[in-house]
Amino acid sequence: MRTWLAGKLAYIVYIYRFFKRNKVARGILLNLLVILLILRLAVGMETTIRIVAMGAQLLFGMAFMIIQFAAIFLFMARSKTITVLPGETSVLTLDDYKGQPVLVDTMRAWVRVLQGDTAFKEMGGEPPSGLLLSGAPGTGKTYLMKCLAGTADIALHGIEGSSFRAMFMGVDVLKVLGFVGKARNLALEHGACIAYIDEIDAIGQSRGGMGAGQGQAVGMMGGMMGSGALTSLLAQISGIGDERPMTTARNITRSWFGLSPLKEGYVLFAGGTNRPEVLDPALIRPGRLDKKIAVDPPDGHGRREVFEYYIAKVKHEEIDLDALVGSTQGITPAAIEVAVQRDAVRMAWMEGRKQINFRDIAASIIEQHMGLPNEISDLPEDQKWQVAVHEAGHAIALHTLRPDMRIAFVSTIRRGGALGFMYPVMKETTYALPLKSVIADIRVSLAGDVASNVILGERWTGAATDLEHVRQRVLYLAWHGVFGGIMLGSEPTKEQGEKIQKFIDEQWEHTRRLVMANE
């Protein structure tokens, strides 16, 4: 009861403090009182009451219309959010984040930051404002923030960046204010809160070009939405427009009832993206989301840890973890979870088995990359032969030219839009390669088309994707100055183009000799 009464009185104190510090508001209130006094002296009390009643009715009608309009806006401004509170049974901790021990150690240091914002202020400083997590989809950026909040025993309030988009001008700003306001309230209750925006590029894209940061649609009320949501978010991160006066008012009334004061909660803004290069510079400048953390796919040791973690959750036969780890370089934790807990279990159940095995997990990983198998029952023999020759060309070239890689799977069964495929993997985790490896990749991509030409006597369709890969890799070499100078535009110069065509012809000839040697 005391807490409830203190909360109600807090608003009265807040209004009093508002008029006390706001000269304009005091002037308006004083002018109204003077007008009422003049009316009373001029026309009498009864007429004054009637005028006031008519004015009140008019104001009520206008207020009712405004409230209706505001209610529609507030309804449209609702967004789907996630909230994780301390003490919940489903709370995750950093012990649940597998495959990235160095990243976990970094996050444990941030636990101390989240719990020590008061110490920062006692030293005369301020705690950091924000984190930016960048990494490929599925690397576990949102999962990492949940684990961080659980370990620090604080709240997390999360939202997807696209949820800030709105048809009507101004609704996106309301969504930002509502999201940040909820995070601040949680911080007041629990000491600190992480305000996390997943896919933050949907709202934080650079305002120098068209996109989410600049506005995608013309509202029904007219005019471009502009960058109102991003501008509002930037102001909130910088601490402009926070609710500290209201917090002070609450603490005054709480002191009247002997209640402990509310501490100014620490809100750590965090964003996740797989496109950090498109973010507005104002969003990632010092003082905002300036602490950048890369969340990469796990290395070999990390993949083993993630596989062990998820395999332990399901019934399974003896599984060759070395083979799995060696065949899945670059795979994300999310892909491992889906492969083991969803797809592998589904495959085992469809075959009437109670446990998953190595074959189930391997097939699940291939299914993720290439799609479901969809064999063509009436494929003519000459076309079957062509698919086999094409994939064999790729396989021979990779085996010969890339000793640092091995062939995990080769298939002539249609998956997705491909009649066949070869799935190579690195033997060891690799972070940088010599340019000669890119040239070898070009020959591997050409080998399917070359093999059809050499073995079958003519070129066939089905090599368009391979040739596009060749084009991309050649442009990659051009960007590195292989063909003279640095490529400044999206296309090479005329002189570079002539060198590139000569280079491709040479690679075709090298690949032709390789295929003929292994005919």
Side-chain angles (χ1 to χ4, degrees), residues 7 113 124 131 151 192 281 319 345-346 370-371 379-380 400 410 437 441 454:
V113 173
L131 290 173
T151 304
I319 293 176
V345 172
R346 167 177 55 83
M370 300 302 301
L379 188 66
T400 305
V410 182
S437 296
D441 288 340
V454 170

Side-chain angles (χ1 to χ4, degrees), residues 42-354:
V43 298
M45 178 62 75
E46 184 176 350
T47 304
T48 300
I49 293 174
R50 289 179 181 177
I51 294 174
V52 172
M54 291 176 60
Q57 288 179 345
L58 180 62
L59 288 173
F60 178 79
M62 293 175 61
F64 185 73
M65 293 176 61
I66 293 173
I67 290 172
Q68 280 186 316
F69 194 68
I72 295 174
F73 260 54
L74 291 174
F75 177 78
M76 295 176 60
R78 293 188 306 170
S79 300
K80 184 178 180 180
T81 59
I82 59 170
T83 302
V84 179
L85 301 178
E88 293 182 346
T89 56
S90 59
V91 166
L92 299 167
T93 68
L94 289 171
D95 292 334
D96 298 302
Y97 197 86
K98 305 297 182 181
Q100 294 278 17
V102 176
L103 181 60
V104 168
D105 289 341
T106 301
M107 289 295 101
R108 291 194 188 281
W110 276 89
V111 171
R112 297 182 60 193
V113 173
L114 289 167
Q115 295 174 337
D117 62 296
T118 303
F120 280 97
K121 294 178 180 178
E122 290 175 353
M123 293 174 62
E126 291 289 336
S129 297
L131 290 173
L132 179 65
L133 306 182
S134 62
T139 48
K141 298 180 289 294
T142 303
Y143 192 80
L144 180 61
M145 286 294 96
K146 291 180 179 179
C147 293
L148 176 60
T151 304
D153 197 31
I154 63 171
L156 178 139
H157 189 50
I159 192 172
E160 187 180 344
S162 61
S163 297
F164 290 118
R165 296 175 180 173
M167 179 182 295
F168 291 105
M169 185 170 55
V171 175
D172 53 345
V173 176
L174 287 176
K175 290 184 176 183
V176 172
L177 295 177
F179 170 73
V180 176
K182 178 64 179 294
R184 286 205 171 104
N185 286 333
L186 290 172
L188 283 173
E189 296 176 21
H190 304 286
C193 177
I194 299 174
Y196 178 69
I197 304 174
D198 193 21
E199 305 296 345
I200 197 171
D201 48 274
I203 180 179
Q205 200 166 353
S206 175
R207 289 168 290 187
M210 291 300 293
Q214 190 176 8
Q216 300 83 3
V218 178
M220 293 179 64
M221 296 179 62
M224 291 294 287
M225 286 196 308
S227 56
L230 175 57
T231 303
S232 179
L233 178 63
L234 296 178
Q236 294 297 321
I237 295 175
S238 297
I240 300 173
D242 59 20
E243 300 181 352
R244 290 178 183 175
M246 189 61 193
T247 303
T248 303
R250 289 177 181 176
N251 284 336
I252 291 174
T253 56
R254 289 174 71 89
S255 66
W256 295 346
F257 293 90
L259 299 174
S260 59
L262 295 171
K263 295 182 179 179
E264 189 65 43
Y266 170 38
V267 177
L268 175 69
F269 290 89
T273 181
N274 59 339
R275 302 169 63 207
E277 70 280 357
V278 306
L279 295 179
D280 194 287
L283 182 63
I284 55 178
R285 69 142 171 92
R288 289 181 177 150
L289 303 189
D290 56 341
K291 304 298 182 289
K292 303 173 182 65
I293 297 177
V295 185
D296 299 317
D299 58 15
H301 296 293
R303 291 197 301 278
R304 174 182 290 275
E305 186 179 19
V306 176
F307 270 118
E308 289 175 343
Y309 179 75
Y310 287 112
I311 289 175
K313 292 177 176 287
V314 300
K315 295 180 179 179
H316 59 89
E317 299 175 7
E318 190 69 27
I319 293 176
D320 187 351
L321 281 175
D322 291 334
L324 277 179
V325 171
S327 302
T328 53
Q329 191 199 35
I331 196 171
T332 64
I336 295 175
E337 178 189 10
V338 171
V340 174
Q341 285 197 280
R342 298 186 185 183
D343 294 337
V345 172
R346 167 177 55 83
M347 292 177 182
W349 180 82
M350 291 175 68
E351 294 182 5
R353 291 180 283 110
K354 299 293 186 180

Side-chain angles (χ1 to χ4, degrees), residues 6 97 460 500:
Y97 197 86
W460 285 61
I500 286 174

